[in-house]
Amino acid sequence: MKHDNEQIEHLLPLYYEGKLDEEKEERVKDWLALSDEHRAIGESIAEAYRAMDCLCVLQHIDTSKALARVNGRLRRQRFLLWLRRLERVAAILFMPLAVVAFLLFYRGSDHRHVTMLSYATKPGVTATLTLPDSTEVVLNSDSRISYPERFTGDERRVELEGEAYFAVAKDGEHPFVVGTSARADIKVYGTRFNVEADRTGHWVRATLEEGAIAMEYVDGDRQWTERHIVPGEEISYRAAQHEVSVRKVEVDVVTSWKDGRLLFRNTPVKEVLKTLAKRYNVEFEVVDERVYKNSFTGVLEKQRLENVLEILKISSDMNFKPATQGNGYCEKYIVY
């Protein structure tokens, strides 16, 4: 009987692997049917094989090894049970992790596909707009600002052509940057300032009313450099020379245009004519440069151009004569 049991235990693994011939398979079936103990041994081996999906077994096995094999299968079965529980926990955690991953991906994708907006004013017209971060911008005549429909990333960046006055919404974690075509950016550390950027990219200047700003520009060594200014100062950059200059200015004079009036305080006539050309969409051709020796002080608010020119004629010893159509878009005056 002992010898028969040893033969059966040797045949059991082969039986569950389907490697026995018909005669030996019948012998195993008869042995399993003899008692509940035999069936329990068989079921343990079968369950272990199913759980592990074994591909091979030892071809030679004795009684002690058979028992060790059964115990080993049972231990691995318990391991698989623990693994299945772990899988259920992972399945529970998968959804929130998947949601987080999706949000991170969506945020990154959203950043890549932000729509850029652009707003431009016609010559002789100013406009006020609010950016997505609640920054207030007053755009001067014949100027353009480009900005994203919503700010993403580490900074709030806009691009400016022409002139604009900014009252920047505070956000210490996302600095505000005004880019220009002159390879010079205005980095904002405060709130209120004026920027004028030449459309051709030759120069840019910024005037600080309140807070702190800096100009980041390419210097003579072709290195990016940063220069800070304080309220009441104006910083100018000339791209061709890679030069920066800082001077004290009267901020209310520089920014008066945003309130719909023009304030001049002993202002050189050359600057006066430039301001009037932008405000009234006209062109001035100076044929006698002696007029540049003059200056003008006064406040011009909602006057007709003809009245303004009459005031300048009387106060600054100069004359204006209407000319033919200038560049096709604006009126032209000869100054002498």
Side-chain angles (χ1 to χ4, degrees), residues 133-312:
D133 65 338
S134 297
T135 290
E136 296 290 336
V137 180
V138 185
L139 202 59
N140 205 350
S141 166
D142 194 23
S143 300
R144 177 184 298 273
I145 186 172
S146 300
Y147 57 95
E149 63 177 350
R150 56 186 171 277
F151 290 109
T152 59
D154 297 330
E155 65 181 21
R156 297 170 289 163
R157 186 180 184 87
V158 302
E159 298 292 332
L160 176 67
E161 296 178 11
E163 186 172 19
Y165 177 88
F166 295 85
V168 177
K170 293 182 179 180
D171 184 346
E173 296 181 358
H174 303 90
F176 193 91
V177 178
V178 181
T180 71
S181 58
R183 297 196 69 192
D185 296 341
I186 308 302
K187 300 180 69 176
V188 183
Y189 299 91
T191 52
R192 299 179 183 275
F193 59 99
N194 192 87
V195 179
E196 187 174 8
D198 176 41
R199 286 181 175 275
T200 62
H202 292 160
W203 56 266
V204 59
R205 63 182 170 218
T207 306
L208 180 60
E209 178 180 4
E210 177 185 310
I213 63 173
M215 181 174 286
E216 189 176 38
Y217 62 96
V218 178
D219 62 18
D221 296 325
R222 301 297 192 273
Q223 300 295 320
W224 281 95
T225 305
E226 190 171 300
R227 178 79 175 269
H228 293 251
I229 62 173
V230 298
E233 289 185 335
E234 178 181 87
I235 183 169
S236 300
Y237 173 68
R238 293 192 172 275
Q241 294 79 21
H242 304 288
E243 291 179 353
V244 158
S245 61
V246 177
R247 64 172 184 150
K248 286 284 187 180
V249 296
E250 295 177 285
V251 178
D252 59 340
V253 173
V254 176
T255 62
S256 62
W257 65 267
K258 70 181 178 63
D259 299 316
R261 62 193 181 97
L262 299 178
L263 173 61
F264 301 104
R265 193 172 291 133
N266 200 30
T267 305
V269 162
K270 189 172 186 177
E271 288 296 319
V272 173
L273 294 178
K274 176 185 173 183
T275 301
L276 294 178
K278 181 182 295 185
R279 167 56 62 90
Y280 292 99
N281 187 28
V282 296
E283 182 181 348
F284 294 104
E285 181 182 344
V286 177
V287 295
D288 187 350
E289 293 193 358
R290 286 181 297 179
V291 302
Y292 287 149
K293 296 179 180 180
N294 299 321
S295 61
F296 175 71
T297 297
V299 180
L300 304 177
E301 187 171 2
K302 297 181 180 179
Q303 285 104 331
R304 290 166 52 90
L305 178 59
E306 291 79 5
N307 295 337
V308 171
L309 297 183
E310 188 64 27
I311 293 172
L312 289 175

Side-chain angles (χ1 to χ4, degrees), residues 44-105:
S44 296
I45 295 176
E47 188 174 0
Y49 268 84
R50 287 193 301 269
M52 296 300 297
D53 192 23
C54 289
L55 301 177
C56 62
V57 294
L58 295 176
Q59 294 184 1
H60 300 285
I61 186 170
D62 57 22
T63 306
S64 59
K65 287 185 179 180
L67 181 59
R69 177 60 62 115
V70 171
N71 290 334
R73 298 299 183 198
L74 292 175
R75 284 195 298 272
R76 276 176 285 191
Q77 183 183 358
R78 287 193 294 271
F79 171 76
L80 285 175
L81 179 61
W82 176 84
L83 186 60
R84 291 190 189 99
R85 291 174 179 170
L86 184 60
E87 288 173 350
R88 286 196 293 271
V89 173
I92 294 172
L93 293 176
F94 172 78
M95 186 56 67
L97 290 175
V99 170
V100 171
F102 172 77
L103 290 175
L104 290 175
F105 173 79

